[in-house]
């Protein structure tokens, strides 16, 4: 902890709750599960704490939150840094996946002092978040503009209600296969 900032037990508890997906959870427990949450430095700059009121619950999806990704982006302050956890759902060629993404939000408009403290404290929170596979440093809204950017970072495709993305990928794979077949026929002649 180069900055001397400590991570509160409350932050660690929230991470552990998000990390563990309980198969036997009832509907009420599932609704209370967090889809996204922001963390900030305490006013005295000594602790990383929950950013009160900046969370998305699974129970909010489709009720008060229509698009969780866009709602998450709108929660980020335009002129200060934050840490965030986002429970991303995405698809690879093999399967549907869900992973926690650790995001370090450091917008260009943030004060230099804030950027320095958050950057030097990032390792403290990352060490407490054991098992995080994906980390993303974001410096502006243009980096977050759509889900495709996040999907690329995760190595998957978009999860969409339509089959457009799957069809597009299928068409690309089909074209590649046809090209290989044509090349093979040309070589054999």
């Amino acid at each position: 902890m180069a900055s001397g900032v400590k991570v509160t037990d409350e932050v660690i508890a929230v991470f552990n709750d998000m990390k563990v997906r309980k198969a036997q959870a009832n509907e009420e427990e599932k609704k209370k599960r967090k889809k996204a949450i922001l963390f900030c430095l305490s006013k005295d700059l000594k602790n990383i704490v929950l950013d009160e009121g900046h969370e998305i619950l699974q129970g909010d999806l489709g009720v008060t939150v229509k698009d969780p990704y866009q709602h998450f982006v709108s929660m980020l302050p335009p002129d200060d840094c934050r840490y965030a956890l986002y429970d991303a759902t995405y698809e690879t060629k093999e399967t549907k996946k869900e992973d926690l993404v650790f995001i370090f939000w450091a917008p260009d408009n943030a004060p230099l002092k804030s950027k320095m403290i958050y950057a030097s404290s990032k390792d403290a929170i990352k060490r407490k978040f054991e098992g995080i596979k994906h980390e993303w440093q974001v410096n502006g809204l243009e980096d977050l503009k759509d889900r495709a950017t996040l999907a690329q970072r995760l190595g998957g495709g978009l999860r969409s209600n339509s089959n457009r993305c799957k069809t597009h990928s299928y068409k690309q794979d089909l074209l590649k296969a046809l090209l290989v077949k044509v090349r093979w026929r040309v070589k054999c002649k």
Side-chain angles (χ1 to χ4, degrees), residues 88 180 182:
V180 168
V182 168

Side-chain angles (χ1 to χ4, degrees), residues 134-152:
H134 306 285
E135 177 186 340
W136 191 11
Q137 179 170 334
V138 183
N139 300 103
L141 289 175
E142 62 279 353
D143 296 340
L144 291 167
K145 61 184 168 199
D146 59 27
R147 279 174 210 73
T149 310
L150 178 60
Q152 286 174 332

Side-chain angles (χ1 to χ4, degrees), residues 17-22 30 33-35 58 61 86-92 95-101 131-134 150 154 156-157 159:
D17 285 345
M18 287 180 76
K19 184 170 84 168
V20 177
R21 290 177 176 82
K22 298 174 183 154
K30 287 179 184 176
R33 183 175 166 74
K34 291 176 181 27
K35 174 76 175 166
Q58 293 288 351
L61 303 180
Y86 186 81
D87 191 357
T89 302
Y90 63 102
E91 292 180 3
T92 64
T95 186
K96 175 184 160 193
K97 290 188 173 190
E98 291 183 45
D99 282 327
L100 285 179
V101 181
I132 290 285
K133 295 184 215 170
H134 306 285
L150 178 60
L154 297 173
R159 181 159 188 261

